[in-house]
Amino acid sequence: MDAKNRFETKATFALSRLEWLGFLAVSLVLAFQHRTEIRWGVFVLLFTVIDLVGYIPGAIAHRRSPDGRVPRAYYVAYNTMHSLVTAGVIAGAWALFVRPEWALLALPIHLMGDRALFGNSLKPFGVAFEPDLAPEFRAFEQRYRSQARSGASGANGSAPTSVEDADAVRA
C-alpha cells in the first residue's frame, strides 16, 4: 500500500495485523500485570462505549435497511469511535479530568483487537456497513492478480515489482 495505491496485498495486510497484534499483546500484558489496580467497571465502560456509540447503531440500521444502505452518519460515528486519535483524546481527557489509570488500557485493547483479530479498521463510505465483498473490488482483485502473474505492466507502463503474493486483500 502507498499513497497512490490504497489497497493491500495479503502479505502487507498480514504484516499490518501483526503490528496491531503486537500492540494488543503489550496492552494485554500490562492489563494482566496491573489487574488488581484496574477499576473494572471503568474498563468495561471504556471498552464497550466504542461499540455502543460507534458500531451497534449502524449495525442495527444496516440490518433494518431493505437494501443494506445506511446514512453516512453511522460511518462517521464508527470511524470516530474506532479512531486511535479519538482513543488518545478520551484517554488524555480522562487522565486530566478524572485520573490516569490502568483501566484506560481498555481503549487500545478494543481497537487493536478489532484490527488484529478481526481485520477491521475504519469504514469507507462506498462499501457496505457490514463487511461484504464489493463487486468492483472483486473485479479489481481479479485484474490485479492476473496482471501480476502475467508480468503485464502497470498503468504507468512500469513492470510490476512486487515479490509478495499478488492477491489484494479484504478483511
Side-chain angles (χ1 to χ4, degrees):
M1 173 180 3
D2 60 37
K4 300 281 184 185
N5 302 287
R6 293 178 306 273
F7 67 93
E8 295 177 323
T9 63
K10 287 181 180 180
T12 57
F13 188 65
L15 290 171
S16 292
R17 288 181 75 177
L18 277 174
E19 287 183 353
W20 299 327
L21 185 62
F23 192 8
L24 174 62
V26 167
S27 299
L28 287 170
V29 166
L30 286 169
F32 180 77
Q33 288 175 335
H34 296 278
R35 66 190 176 280
T36 61
E37 301 167 65
I38 292 175
R39 291 193 303 157
W40 287 101
V42 172
F43 183 98
V44 169
L45 171 73
L46 291 169
F47 189 92
T48 58
V49 74
I50 293 169
D51 283 342
L52 286 175
V53 173
Y55 171 68
I56 292 173
I60 291 170
H62 176 82
R63 283 170 181 74
R64 288 185 176 170
S65 170
D67 62 1
R69 294 182 187 185
V70 299
R72 285 182 174 225
Y74 292 110
Y75 289 84
V76 171
Y78 181 93
N79 290 341
T80 300
M81 293 307 295
H82 286 82
S83 165
L84 294 170
V85 172
T86 302
V89 168
I90 291 170
W94 191 279
L96 185 63
F97 297 113
V98 180
R99 70 181 199 205
E101 60 180 303
W102 292 108
L104 293 169
L105 286 169
L107 299 168
I109 288 171
H110 183 121
L111 297 179
M112 293 302 104
D114 278 357
R115 286 164 168 77
L117 303 176
F118 304 116
N120 294 331
S121 189
L122 304 180
K123 294 185 180 290
F125 294 132
V127 299
F129 189 83
E130 291 290 357
D132 189 25
L133 182 60
E136 300 84 359
F137 187 76
R138 176 179 288 138
F140 161 76
E141 196 175 35
Q142 290 169 344
R143 284 192 316 273
Y144 181 81
R145 189 179 310 122
S146 173
Q147 222 178 24
R149 288 192 179 129
S150 71
S153 44
N156 64 359
S158 62
T161 58
S162 175
V163 294
E164 53 186 277
D165 188 357
D167 295 334
V169 160
R170 59 196 167 274

